[in-house]
Amino acid sequence: MAKYFDVHPENPQRRTISTVADSIRSGALIAYPTDSCFALGCQLGSRDGIDRIRSIRNLDDRHHFTLVCENFAQLGQFVQIDNDVFRAIKAATPGSYTFILPATREVPRKLLHPKKKTVGVRIPDHVVAQALLAELGEPLLSSTLLLPDEDEPLTQGWEIKERLDHVVDAVVDSGECGTEPTTVIDFSGGAPEIVRRGAGDATRFE
């Protein structure tokens, strides 16, 4: 049965955020809010967490997982990025974008796209997500909380708790989230390729 955490959207309770971070370190899979929509998240090296996300969302091994990072310094540890790409991404973060880039050796092999050896990274513009990332001290391995055969992500914490009570360990709720996933930009080939148009303005990468 999932634990339910009601978090203030502008001033997240530190004790609650610390409790959630501790549970992630202990292997918990959580549902949490971002600046685009709710996401599933677990510790970076959690094989069980990866398998559970794949199972909940019915994903194959070609799915790009996302490392949700607190800041640009953290993001730079996990992807290879040249100066031009650096400037383009820096100008759009934090925000509702996911960037696909070649991974460094810091990224577990199980997270990589099997052929491209790439991974998704993003920096959310969301108070609660940022508080959790700061407390955790490392990226959250994440995937949009979009259930199989459904067109839109779940937007209400109570509904997520109700529907995923036995498959996630905790739900962090700070109010209603949006329904649009991030805009996904693939920089793995050098030039930006818009893979998915979502919450972030894609025109800056056209």
Side-chain angles (χ1 to χ4, degrees):
M1 200 166 174
K3 294 180 179 177
Y4 183 81
F5 297 96
D6 189 6
V7 180
H8 193 282
E10 296 172 6
N11 297 292
Q13 303 92 316
R14 178 141 193 196
R15 182 177 293 181
T16 302
I17 294 295
S18 179
T19 300
V20 176
D22 285 343
S23 71
I24 293 167
R25 295 187 191 102
S26 299
L29 175 64
I30 71 165
Y32 72 102
T34 76
D35 52 345
S36 56
C37 52
F38 272 96
L40 295 166
C42 67
Q43 192 170 33
L44 181 58
S46 174
R47 286 175 177 251
D48 177 64
I50 296 168
D51 291 342
R52 289 166 71 189
I53 291 173
R54 286 193 194 280
S55 175
I56 291 168
R57 291 205 52 203
N58 193 24
L59 301 171
D60 61 27
D61 64 359
R62 294 186 301 278
H63 176 74
H64 268 109
F65 282 98
T66 298
L67 303 183
V68 178
C69 301
E70 180 188 0
N71 51 41
F72 215 92
Q74 193 177 75
L75 181 149
Q77 298 174 38
F78 296 94
V79 289
Q80 300 170 34
I81 187 166
D82 65 27
N83 288 339
D84 289 342
V85 175
F86 174 93
R87 284 191 289 269
I89 294 177
K90 182 80 169 170
T93 56
S96 303
Y97 299 92
T98 297
F99 301 101
I100 297 171
L101 290 157
T104 67
R105 292 182 180 179
E106 300 291 322
V107 180
R109 289 175 61 87
K110 194 165 185 176
L111 301 186
L112 303 180
H113 187 283
K115 291 183 178 178
K116 296 181 177 181
K117 307 304 181 192
T118 49
V119 71
V121 287
R122 69 170 299 223
I123 302 171
D125 187 12
H126 190 278
V127 172
V128 174
Q130 278 289 341
L132 184 55
L133 291 165
E135 183 68 27
L136 194 60
E138 62 180 42
L140 258 176
L141 168 62
S142 295
S143 183
T144 302
L145 209 176
L146 181 62
L147 299 179
D149 303 320
E150 297 197 9
D151 294 328
E152 290 192 345
L154 300 176
T155 62
Q156 303 276 0
W158 63 266
E159 185 183 9
I160 293 168
K161 161 87 167 128
E162 200 172 76
R163 294 185 62 180
L164 301 182
D165 205 23
H166 298 290
V167 291
V168 301
D169 301 303
V171 176
V172 180
D173 189 5
S174 63
E176 187 169 336
C177 260
T179 58
E180 271 197 296
T182 56
T183 293
V184 179
I185 311 295
D186 189 344
F187 271 109
S188 61
E193 178 188 347
I194 300 169
V195 176
R196 179 179 72 196
R197 293 177 186 271
D201 179 12
T203 59
R204 64 167 67 212
F205 297 103
E206 293 176 336

